Amino acid sequence: MNKPHLVHLKIRRGGPDQPARYEEFPFEFEDGQSVLDALRWIRGNRDASLAVRFSCINANACKECVMRIDGRTGYACTTPLHPGDMLIEPLPNKRLIRDLVTDTLPPDER
Amino acid sequence: MARYLETDVLIIGAGGAGMYAAIAAATAGGEVLLLDKSVIGRSGATIMAQMTVAAAIGEEEPDDWRFHLNDTIAAGRGLVDEPLARILCQSAPERIWQMEEWGIGWARSGNHITQAHAPGHDRNRCVYVDFLSTGPATSRTLRNQCRRHDNIRRISDLTITDLVVRNGRADGAVGLYLETGEPVTIAAKTTIIATGGLTSLYQRNSASANMGGDGFALGLRAGAALIDMEFVQFFPIGHLAPRLIGMDPIMWDPFRYKLGGRLLNGEMEEFTQNYGTAEDGKYVITRDTATYAIYREVEAGRGSPHGGAWLSFEHISEADLRAAFGPVIDRLADNGIDLTKMPIEVSPIAHYHMGGLRVDQTMATDVANLFAAGEAVGGANGANRLSGNAITEAFVFGELAGRSAAEAAANTSLPDVRDAAGPYLAVIEEAGGRPEPDGGTSPTAAIADLQSILQRDVGPFRTGDGLTGALAAIAELAAELPLMATGGAMAFNQQLADWLALRNMLEVARTIATAALARTESRGAHQREDHPGLDEAWTCNQIIRRDNSESGGGITLSRAAVRRLPGPEGAP
Ligand SMILES: Cc1cc2nc3c(=O)[nH]c(=O)nc-3n(C[C@H](O)[C@H](O)[C@H](O)COP(=O)(O)OP(=O)(O)OC[C@H]3O[C@@H](n4cnc5c(N)ncnc54)[C@H](O)[C@@H]3O)c2cc1C
Ligand code: FES
């Protein structure tokens, strides 16, 4: 299958007590592939320790994959990849758990 | 998060079935603990369903639950557990009206609830929420109801890894709290497995990440019986490409019903006529023929680029598309899809599991104090499920399991499982203590391997050789499991979560392949290329249990007579 485009994802890694650290992952993709597709590929093929919350993958129903993408808040599963660099970070206004996962649960569900 | 929790009723999995069970158990009195491995009410199949719910409410035209039951039994090709199906169909209207009372907002035309027709139903029976919002509306409604009960404690991000069984009785469970990586022990008077289906065992699926069949493995290890594990429902024209977000992958079904469309192979030629069904732009091909034809074309090197078939609506005008699907056409446009200009690719995808935990008419498994609900339950749909019956099953079996479990809890004293939990906790600790691989693959990558094995050899078309090979490949992965790395101690360790999921997936995959290999006939969703055609001698269920006598814990397969109703229900 033809994967015509290349993106370099710069991903913020680490937990709340660690200094911010950015890691870069190249990913070849075809039109229509999402940021979540790239993050899942990284987990499966490069670094399974990357923490990223998601459930529904395609349906945009669970709303779990919310994060900062190129400085804007969005869903990883609905944000298309674009060639070049992309900056992927956890939500800035929520308590950081690790990597891209922040505390987005309702307080009465823990 | 406390490391030791106590409750009257423990509910594992918070989809439609788990939430309904929680509400029913809480209403009956007693403390309820409702858990999900991801987020309460958001992470399973329920919120993803966009189509319909079947119930004989007779709003659109006169109907009776007996008609619904007859259709369900006919669709199940001789294997429906009739007492369970009867409960499903008879209680369905009550649940639909209760959801209406709770404000779900079923679509209406004029002064009545609209009921659509779906294949296999003898009349307009299926309710829904506009537009394609049945699942989200269901989840929202049940979440809101759960919140109204002070005696329902809800915890997200808690994966149950084993039930704690003492003297043949389920006394609670242990699990992993993902945020901190802490193991958690729960003492419960009664427990309900509401973990949904297993379709993420397959590479091509309509599943969320949490549908690896945990509940079947939990039940099996605890001593419960599984039924009909060979019957996995595939949907023939699931969306394959281009990437499509925010839509139900089975959405092309209503498109084909309304607009026909043309199925084309990689050479852009119609092909279904070569498999016995010429379509002429109408949707007349049956699901099994469509699946078979697409598989064969791909095998012959005539698949679409991503390994499926093309589905084209290019001959239909923009105006006709809009008239039929209004806002959906805009959602497709957001995905860069213009149906007037391009075909899309489709392929058979794993969609629902007919098999599951065997229960009686109170939703009790044969392990004391252990119940099941929703898609985790096997039997009610036999060898093939009618569309719309799955959400109904989540509502009806959820409510019933909740009531039954609360009632049983009222007659049970709270167990102390601090000691008994030890060996189960050791599994998590041992897995978590292996940051570096001793060889072999990572569990995350191994899940992908397992998905390809099942897709190829335990999918919609099976052969004895393929299944035997799959069992060997599954055993090989299982042998590697104890060596796979899990990343070590860290917050939100999904690698460890993947390992725990894989442990269950391997166990469940083995039950599907074992039952499929034994059933030397083709019936409903189980199609054997080397045994075509239905064999009357196989009008029986297959039951799988854990066989603890063998070292390493094997499984045993046996046959059981299909449970029938005493007499014909007949027309009302
Ligand atoms: C895309 C899609 C569309 C569908 N459309 C329809 C339709 O239109 N009509 C219809 O009738 N049916 C439809 N179905 C089927 C139907 O949605 C499901 O059968 C039904 O919702 C199942 O409900 P449930 O509560 O049993 O399971 P789910 O809703 O899947 O919930 C199970 C929950 O258990 C959790 N869980 C799993 N394992 C564990 C564990 N070890 N510990 C803790 N929690 C755990 C999961 O995270 C999940 O939240 C569809 C299914 C899909 C996937
Ligand atoms: S993964 Fe579910 S909304 Fe993005």
Side-chain angles (χ1 to χ4, degrees):
Chain A
M1 214 191 322
N2 189 18
K3 301 256 185 194
H5 312 298
L6 178 66
V7 59
H8 287 271
L9 297 175
K10 290 195 198 332
I11 303 177
R12 193 195 143 133
R13 305 291 305 269
D17 310 325
Q18 296 161 319
R21 164 177 113 246
Y22 286 80
E23 283 180 14
E24 192 173 311
F25 295 90
F27 177 66
E28 288 178 5
F29 68 99
E30 54 181 299
D31 287 328
Q33 283 198 282
S34 67
V35 170
L36 184 63
D37 291 336
L39 297 174
R40 291 177 61 226
W41 180 87
I42 292 167
R43 286 205 69 245
N45 298 279
R46 289 291 176 272
D47 185 351
S49 75
L50 174 67
V52 47
R53 187 191 264 294
F54 64 94
S55 279
C56 69
I57 304 170
N58 295 305
N60 194 225
C62 72
K63 312 294 183 192
E64 292 180 29
C65 64
V66 61
M67 57 185 69
R68 285 295 260 198
I69 301 166
D70 286 336
R72 277 206 230 121
T73 299
Y75 297 113
C77 71
T78 56
T79 307
L81 293 165
H82 62 72
D85 290 342
M86 287 187 88
L87 185 62
I88 313 292
E89 299 167 297
L91 291 179
N93 55 342
K94 297 275 181 190
R95 180 172 62 87
L96 180 63
I97 294 175
R98 190 169 66 80
D99 292 348
L100 301 173
V101 179
T102 51
D103 181 8
T104 48
L105 296 178
D108 59 349
E109 282 181 13
R110 33 186 52 257
Chain B
M1 165 72 50
R3 284 177 169 239
Y4 191 79
L5 302 169
E6 296 178 329
T7 188
D8 294 331
V9 179
L10 166 65
I11 301 172
I12 307 168
M19 289 191 287
Y20 223 123
I23 297 161
T27 306
E31 297 296 316
V32 176
L33 181 56
L34 175 64
L35 310 176
D36 202 282
K37 73 192 293 184
S38 196
V39 185
I40 301 283
R42 294 206 158 272
S43 308
T46 302
I47 199 168
M48 296 164 75
Q50 295 186 343
M51 306 296 167
T52 62
V53 187
I57 56 172
E59 284 276 289
E60 189 78 32
E61 57 179 306
D63 199 358
D64 187 279
W65 63 267
R66 293 171 188 85
F67 295 141
H68 185 189
L69 177 61
N70 289 341
D71 290 346
T72 300
I73 291 174
R77 306 293 296 270
L79 298 194
V80 168
D81 181 320
E82 294 180 4
L84 283 188
R86 180 192 162 130
I87 293 169
L88 175 72
C89 299
Q90 193 172 10
S91 304
E94 211 179 318
R95 299 281 74 79
I96 295 302
W97 288 119
Q98 185 162 49
M99 290 295 285
E100 178 72 0
E101 228 169 83
W102 289 342
I104 189 170
W106 300 118
R108 288 179 167 269
S109 36
N111 57 359
H112 69 86
I113 292 177
T114 317
Q115 291 184 276
H117 189 258
H121 292 278
D122 72 346
R123 65 197 68 209
N124 295 308
R125 182 172 291 138
C126 297
V127 303
Y128 55 91
V129 179
D130 273 328
F131 286 93
L132 299 182
S133 292
T134 300
T138 293
S139 282
R140 177 177 31 78
T141 305
L142 291 173
R143 277 171 70 112
N144 286 343
Q145 286 301 318
C146 282
R147 270 199 210 102
R148 295 170 151 223
H149 293 272
D150 290 338
N151 51 344
I152 302 178
R153 177 164 183 205
R154 289 160 286 141
I155 304 177
S156 293
D157 284 344
L158 181 47
T159 303
I160 294 303
T161 56
D162 271 299
L163 300 172
V164 175
V165 182
R166 287 189 310 177
N167 308 320
R169 204 178 68 181
D171 280 344
V174 302
L176 172 75
Y177 189 56
L178 198 58
E179 182 184 325
T180 57
E182 282 168 308
V184 174
T185 301
I186 301 153
K189 294 178 181 172
T190 58
T191 300
I192 302 174
I193 296 178
T195 46
L198 51 61
T199 43
S200 70
L201 281 169
Y202 290 85
Q203 189 179 41
R204 289 183 178 169
N205 62 53
S206 61
S208 81
N210 309 308
M211 288 154 64
D214 279 356
F216 308 119
L218 293 174
L220 189 67
R221 284 198 292 271
L226 300 177
I227 183 170
D228 290 345
M229 290 303 282
E230 64 272 42
F231 291 101
V232 181
Q233 185 168 57
F234 274 75
F235 176 75
I237 51 166
H239 185 82
L240 180 60
R243 206 73 174 76
L244 176 58
I245 301 294
M247 308 291 298
D248 188 336
I250 71 164
M251 63 175 287
W252 300 118
D253 212 28
F255 268 74
R256 291 217 70 194
Y257 275 109
K258 281 199 185 170
L259 302 168
R262 298 167 68 216
L263 267 182
L264 307 169
N265 66 15
E267 291 158 11
M268 300 315 256
E269 283 165 358
E270 287 183 334
F271 59 95
T272 59
Q273 70 281 2
N274 303 330
Y275 301 88
T277 308
E279 287 215 298
D280 286 331
K282 289 191 217 67
Y283 191 18
V284 293
I285 193 165
T286 60
R287 287 187 171 189
D288 46 353
T289 308
T291 300
Y292 185 74
I294 295 170
Y295 255 65
R296 274 280 171 267
E297 289 297 298
V298 173
E299 241 174 37
R302 291 189 299 270
S304 62
H306 291 82
W310 295 106
L311 176 62
S312 169
F313 298 96
E314 291 158 285
H315 55 293
I316 294 168
S317 73
E318 165 98 31
D320 286 352
L321 284 165
R322 287 213 170 264
F325 288 100
V328 181
I329 303 301
D330 295 321
R331 279 157 77 178
L332 288 170
D334 291 344
N335 281 278
I337 295 176
D338 178 349
L339 292 178
T340 62
K341 294 207 171 66
M342 59 200 272
I344 44 98
E345 289 179 66
V346 295
S347 160
I349 57 172
H351 187 52
Y352 174 84
H353 189 44
M354 269 77 71
L357 289 152
R358 194 179 206 207
V359 296
D360 68 11
Q361 293 173 53
T362 67
M363 299 293 126
T365 69
D366 45 18
V367 174
N369 294 348
L370 181 63
F371 299 78
E375 194 171 332
V377 167
N381 296 285
N384 188 34
R385 169 186 67 104
L386 283 183
S387 55
N389 265 8
I391 296 178
T392 311
E393 175 183 72
F395 292 168
V396 170
F397 292 175
E399 193 273 344
L400 178 54
R403 251 189 305 136
S404 301
E407 205 172 289
N411 302 313
T412 306
S413 53
L414 187 69
D416 182 333
V417 295
R418 263 170 262 256
D419 293 335
Y424 303 104
L425 289 169
V427 173
I428 308 176
E429 273 149 25
E430 206 177 293
R434 220 173 21 250
E436 303 297 336
D438 286 337
T441 32
S442 89
T444 314
I447 287 176
D449 293 343
L450 181 64
Q451 289 171 325
S452 346
I453 295 166
L454 267 80
Q455 184 75 34
R456 192 183 62 230
D457 289 324
V458 198
F461 289 94
R462 301 161 174 179
T463 63
D465 287 347
L467 290 164
T468 307
L471 281 165
I474 292 164
E476 235 168 76
L477 275 179
E480 281 181 44
L481 186 68
L483 307 174
M484 291 181 195
T486 51
M490 58 178 132
F492 218 85
N493 185 348
Q494 283 162 298
Q495 206 176 337
L496 176 55
D498 285 343
W499 189 93
L500 292 163
L502 178 62
R503 168 182 178 236
N504 292 334
M505 291 170 102
L506 287 164
E507 199 145 10
V508 176
R510 189 159 61 126
T511 66
I512 304 171
T514 302
L517 182 60
R519 186 176 282 277
T520 46
E521 65 152 357
S522 293
R523 180 191 298 259
H526 169 73
Q527 295 291 324
R528 283 282 297 263
E529 294 207 68
D530 47 354
H531 294 279
L534 190 145
D535 176 357
E536 274 310 326
W538 270 108
T539 305
C540 62
N541 300 115
Q542 293 196 93
I543 307 288
I544 291 185
R545 287 177 185 283
R546 179 104 186 202
D547 178 2
N548 288 318
S549 62
E550 250 172 72
S551 60
I555 50 175
T556 53
L557 185 69
S558 59
R559 296 187 191 185
V562 182
R563 290 176 185 152
R564 305 283 184 205
L565 287 167
E569 287 296 330

